[in-house]
Structure formats: C-alpha cells, structure tokens
Amino acid sequence: MDDKLVTMSPAQKKAQRSRNIAIGVALAVLVVLFYVATIVKFGPSILDRPL
C-alpha cells in the first residue's frame, strides 16, 4: 500500500491549534463547573463529616 501523508498549510495548522485550545478550555470549564456543582450540592456540611 502506498502511504500518503497529508501536509497541512499554515492556515490549517493555525485553525487546528485554535480548535485544540478551544476544546481544552471547554474541558477545563466543565471540570470547574462539575467541581463547583459538587461543592454546592454537598454544602458546608461536607467538612463536618466523621473521619
């Protein structure tokens, strides 16, 4: 089989990098959102639990 590699133009590389950054930021926002939602759901009583 003939393996052909695709070479991307600088504009395509820039667009791909922008998409990767956007996905990373969206993932970080979701992680923070779930963390905050968990803390809000448990409330301050989470610190009063027995160890």
Side-chain angles (χ1 to χ4, degrees), residues 16-49:
Q16 184 181 31
R17 179 162 171 77
S18 296
R19 280 192 304 271
N20 288 342
I21 290 172
I23 290 170
V25 168
L27 184 59
V29 167
L30 278 175
V31 167
V32 170
L33 180 66
F34 288 142
Y35 179 76
V36 170
T38 301
I39 296 302
V40 168
K41 180 179 176 184
F42 286 119
S45 64
I46 195 168
L47 298 175
D48 295 333
R49 64 184 174 87

